[in-house]
Amino acid sequence: MQTRADLQSQIRAWRQAGETIGFVPTMGALHSGHLSLVRLAKKNATKVIASIFVNPTQFAPGEDFDTYPRDESADRAKLDSAGCDLVYLPTVEEMYPDGTKTNVRVEEMSDLLDGIYRPHFFYGVATVVARLFLHTQPDVAVFGEKDYQQLQIIRRMVRDLGFPIEIIGGETARDADGLAQSSRNLYLTPEERRIAPAMQAALHRASVRLSNGTLPSIALEEARGLIMAAGFTDMNYVSLVDPATLEDLPDAPLPEGTVARLLAAAWLGKTRLIDNISVTR
Ligand code: PAF
């Protein structure tokens, strides 16, 4: 289904029949991580809508908007198999019928971590997700924890704007060697694919060290070193932050009972990979 009008007449019919709606926004190139989000949505609502929209406003000039992997018929088949009830495939004109003069900016949180390296990114994400919420009018929406900063920004936007939507985080799906599933893993050469799980291994090691009381500056520096020694080509960050505000934590052993989040981003050749892990002391 491609138009907001068709979508909304289906939603009206479902609402009249007493159905509840779960929503999973995607940019396509679906992998089993996306399908686990669809299944999670299905546990929390009677009907599930997934959108496939490669959103131009979250790509900067020179990023991979034009080459972002697109395979609509394979994506539709995967969504059907996961129990998705409706696939919404809006065009750019349907999402931005009169341009993009109105934007949603979740201040501060969008400028940290990935926001330092991709300053446009979370403004584009919040804007399109707000528009998608207005199109799909869900009761619940599911976002992957793989994109942890995005998930927290969406939670904050929903709180600030009072969207009557419950946001659910879905656990990161991983390959057997620990690599977080991502549509961009398709860009990796076989040699890069072999190196890629080193990021998760380094984060896991750092999270154990932090939960044993190691000073964050020591654990984080060691994680950066392990990632680069494995063959990553450029480090963006390994940071230990408050799990809700995403602000850096002080460089002191974590107090007992603390829950924090460790996030990383680094380049492996032409591919930028991100990952994160929870840390509990
Ligand atoms: O995570 C993604 O795939 C995208 O950022 C999203 C949430 C679909 C918005 O375009």
Side-chain angles (χ1 to χ4, degrees):
M1 193 169 283
Q2 281 204 304
T3 68
R4 184 176 186 179
D6 286 347
L7 176 68
Q8 284 177 349
S9 76
Q10 176 63 81
I11 291 170
R12 263 195 305 278
W14 279 344
R15 291 285 182 210
Q16 275 160 12
E19 308 284 6
T20 57
I21 296 172
F23 175 49
V24 182
T26 83
M27 298 208 300
L30 303 180
H31 47 70
S32 54
H34 291 112
L35 304 184
S36 70
L37 303 182
V38 170
R39 284 190 285 269
L40 185 56
K42 196 82 190 182
K43 283 196 188 129
N44 287 278
T46 58
K47 296 288 181 193
V48 172
I49 301 172
S51 62
I52 300 177
F53 179 65
V54 184
N55 172 36
T57 69
Q58 68 191 73
F59 290 82
E63 288 190 339
D64 55 347
F65 176 71
D66 291 330
T67 54
Y68 195 83
R70 292 164 170 89
D71 190 348
E72 194 185 303
S73 59
D75 286 346
R76 278 171 178 277
K78 288 176 190 168
L79 288 168
D80 280 355
S81 74
C84 177
D85 297 284
L86 190 157
V87 184
Y88 183 44
L89 292 138
T91 59
V92 172
E93 292 67 37
E94 199 68 22
M95 286 313 302
Y96 299 108
D98 202 14
T100 55
K101 294 274 186 251
T102 304
N103 291 290
V104 180
R105 297 170 69 99
V106 181
E107 304 286 349
E108 294 174 11
M109 292 172 85
S110 299
D111 303 324
L112 305 167
L113 301 165
D114 261 21
I116 297 170
Y117 299 90
R118 307 183 70 194
H120 55 285
F121 178 66
F122 291 113
Y123 299 130
V125 169
T127 298
V128 79
V129 170
R131 288 179 183 231
L132 285 166
F133 282 172
L134 292 167
H135 289 212
T136 56
Q137 302 164 20
D139 300 286
V140 301
V142 182
F143 292 79
E145 284 187 351
K146 154 82 175 17
D147 298 302
Y148 187 81
Q149 186 172 7
Q150 168 173 281
L151 169 64
Q152 295 311 111
I153 286 171
I154 298 300
R155 286 190 199 283
R156 181 70 206 225
M157 176 187 83
V158 162
R159 205 164 84 222
D160 284 354
L161 297 184
F163 277 106
I165 301 171
E166 182 192 352
I167 303 300
I168 299 176
E171 218 177 282
T172 303
R174 298 187 179 278
D175 289 349
D177 59 8
L179 178 65
Q181 296 195 357
S182 161
S183 306
R184 289 190 170 97
N185 291 352
L186 293 171
Y187 299 156
L188 298 171
T189 65
E191 174 59 4
E192 288 166 351
R193 173 64 191 77
R194 191 189 59 74
I195 295 168
M199 178 182 275
Q200 169 60 12
L203 289 183
H204 180 72
R205 185 182 159 89
S207 112
V208 172
R209 302 259 285 147
L210 290 160
S211 58
N212 290 335
T214 302
L215 208 58
S217 53
I218 292 175
L220 300 191
E221 200 42 48
E222 186 180 89
R224 288 181 201 111
L226 286 170
I227 291 169
M228 293 308 286
F232 275 75
T233 45
D234 194 16
M235 170 57 57
N236 280 173
Y237 60 83
V238 176
S239 297
L240 180 70
V241 301
D242 178 284
T245 65
L246 306 176
E247 276 161 17
D248 275 332
L249 293 180
D251 189 24
L254 291 178
E256 297 284 340
T258 305
V259 179
R261 202 86 189 179
L262 192 55
L263 296 95
W267 286 88
L268 187 45
K270 294 194 167 80
T271 310
R272 186 172 183 276
L273 296 180
I274 60 172
D275 206 340
N276 67 86
I277 192 168
S278 178
V279 181
T280 309
R281 176 95 207 262

